[in-house]
Amino acid sequence: MAHKFSFHLPNPLRMGLLIAVLIGLFIGALAWFQIERERRNDLEEMDRRAYVLAHQMAYPAQVALQLPDSEATTAFGSMLEGYRRLIGLAVYRTDGRLVAAGKGVADFATVLRDAVGQTLAEGKDTVATQRTADAHLHLLVSVIRAPDGQPQGALAVLHDLVGLDERATHRQALFGFWIGFIVLSLLILTMAGAWLLYDRPLNRLAEWMRQLRTGDAAEAPPITLPVARLASESDRLAASFRAARTAHQEQARAVVRADNIWTRDRLRAHVVDCLRGGQLLVVSNREPYMHELRDGKPRLIVPAGGLVTALDPVLQACGGVWVAHGSGEADRQMADVQGRLAVPPDDPTYTLRRVWLTREEEQGYYYGFANEGLWPLCHLAHERPIFRAGDWEHYVRANRRFAETAIEEAGSGPAVVLVQDYQMALVPRFLKETRPDLAVGIFWHIPWPNPEAFRICPWAPDLLRGLLGADLIGFHLQQHCNNFLDTVDRMIEARLDWDHFAVELQGHVSRVRPFPISVESWTERHVLTGAELTRQIADLRERYELGDLRVAVGVDRIDYTKGLTERFRAVARFFERCPQYRGQFTFVQLGAPSRTHIPRYRNYINELEALADDINWRCQTESWKPIRFLIGHHDGVAVHAFLRMAEIGIVSSLHDGMNLVAKEFVAAKPDLDGVLILSEFAGAARELSDALIINPYDTEQFAEAIRRALEMPPEERQERMARMRRQVEENNIYRWAANLLADLTTVPISNPPTQETA
Ligand code: F6P
């Protein structure tokens, strides 16, 4: 192989050369203009002198020309001789004949003859410069006129320009010397400056990064970095890197453990260890079991949403108390006077403690501040947040009520409190104000936006202080942790420790960590299996006229962040692009109405219904519809059957913290026969990279993904699904809870902040 020779100039030299050459060129151009100007001035001066001489000699020449040649020569005497730069003068008759001339002029007779001929022919003076083999001349030929104005002859004045040329050359040499001197000095100065200010500090930074990689770097980057932001960003980068390495090491340790799968029993044992005799409390807005009235009778439902899906199995495994808003119409009726009841009702393992709120409080705190304010604030789905002072007051009051109820349930003993989500941001601080000894963690189930987005909330600093009451703050993704720390950094006076991802506020330390949430295996839930499942699927196919169509399914709360309009449009586009699938394939959307007291949510349902109707009307046949939009509450058993029935699962969130439906779909495919289409804007996309990842706003790409999913070869489907299942099985909800609790309980609780309440 031929070796290529490559030559690299060192950076400071390159920079020095560049600057020196540019400035050298600039000064060179200026010098050139200056030399030229002076040369022009010299020539003008020469013209002026020649004219003065010609003027002085005009009269004597006029008189002499009236005489015959011999007398005229005598009359001129030595008047025509030259001195210094003047070579001499010469006088001619109108026919061009020479009358008399200085001695030096004779050598240039030919040059003068032409100029004199031209002057007499045109009747006007000639001024010119002329180069001969060994001279450089300036000549003026002036017409001599009789008093009546008639031409009488011509007078030539001849100067030597060699002196002028010498001066110009001398100037060029002088300028050349100074330009060279300046360029060289600049080169040296720039090189030294570039080396001192950039090269040396950046080389030190590179060395520090290398050491960081090998593990023996100093905590902070070198202090002399040329740009202050480079120092702070390197600092953060190093902190993220260290955090990632620690997480990776922890993960690696976990993988080494033979029993890699977390189960309900294993979690139970682990929680007993973590709690050391204390109690486990969960505080959330949404309750895991809700009693609605149906035909005047209480009916139990399990609310839709990731929070319940994730935490109910944890509480079922570990026992404890779940404090939540009793929002069902028949909730009071089904609980005791304190608002308590044992759940799950058919096989109780833990206590649900319902908190009662008035309609007004619920409106302000839940619908208003939490869901018209914080929800759109944290999701980048182009919905404008609404903040009202009255809603905020209800939010503060409701959070205080939840905290007080949790403290009541904790009694006087030790307890670990897991606060859930954006509806409860102030609860950690309220808890700690009364019970600093409690171990308090909060898990934020939705994305945390960047500081620019979050700071528009008028009560952003209060929310941050509320959250920073917790000992541990969890998000799904590292990116959300980074955004949170950045927001704290910009908005309140607190000490940030980027190395350990921690914030110290008034002496209390909160650690910030990613805990990607997950699901439990369907085999641990009360769903149908075997022949019963087959029958259930057949019933559903019959009820919804699905026959033996190939099916894709979506399961969502009807929320504008879930990208349902984008999904419907992609399905319509798919049928336009691939008409051969009409009558072969149908998309089923299970949609649970959600937050319907908020106009935006009500309108969204209507909008979706109209869109589905429109698409169906355009494409449907007598026995087939492209979209089945099933609005209503679907229990876990039905959802499971739909997930099993469908060969494609579609999740197209415009922005989502995690999205557990994606993981539920994977968990529902023990036969590995299914393809997941997943939005790149859902947190789950980081873990489920074997899904067909789409941008839900890109209808063409989305429609193409549906075609690809339908036509994917069985082996590829199985390989992708097997990898995703391994991921979901190993990182299930029990592991999530185990990590969260271990992290919360293994570090001693620091002193809580007690001043300034929200
Ligand atoms: O995950 C976000 C979340 O808002 C949870 O807090 C909640 O339980 C779920 O979605 C469903 O929302 P909601 O409780 O408002 O119906």
Side-chain angles (χ1 to χ4, degrees), residues 8-20 186-201 203:
H8 285 294
L9 289 177
N11 279 334
L13 180 59
R14 246 191 289 171
M15 192 188 275
L17 274 176
L18 182 72
I19 293 180
L186 271 173
L187 181 67
I188 294 170
L189 282 177
T190 322
M191 270 170 58
W195 181 77
L196 260 175
L197 295 174
Y198 286 91
D199 214 49
R200 193 170 65 149
N203 272 321

Side-chain angles (χ1 to χ4, degrees), residues 285-286 303-308 366 371 375 379 420-423 445-446 476 557 559 594-595 656:
N285 170 71
R286 184 59 64 207
L307 188 143
V308 170
Y366 170 76
N371 286 316
W375 181 266
H379 289 91
Q420 304 298 315
D421 230 350
Y422 63 99
Q423 303 93 341
H445 288 254
I446 62 176
H476 292 297
R557 277 187 310 104
D559 190 303
S594 171
R595 306 171 188 170
D656 219 330

Side-chain angles (χ1 to χ4, degrees), residues 393-436:
E393 277 162 29
H394 281 302
Y395 185 85
V396 177
R397 210 172 308 142
N399 270 232
R400 204 179 279 286
R401 180 99 42 87
F402 280 101
E404 284 163 3
T405 311
I407 285 169
E408 200 181 306
E409 288 298 330
S412 55
V416 172
V417 191
L418 298 182
V419 183
Q420 304 298 315
D421 230 350
Y422 63 99
Q423 303 93 341
M424 299 288 146
L426 307 179
V427 171
R429 192 179 183 91
F430 290 148
L431 288 173
K432 287 287 194 167
E433 278 171 4
T434 316
R435 286 285 308 270

Side-chain angles (χ1 to χ4, degrees), residues 368-381:
F369 192 77
N371 286 316
E372 286 190 290
L374 288 180
W375 181 266
L377 180 75
C378 292
H379 289 91
L380 308 178

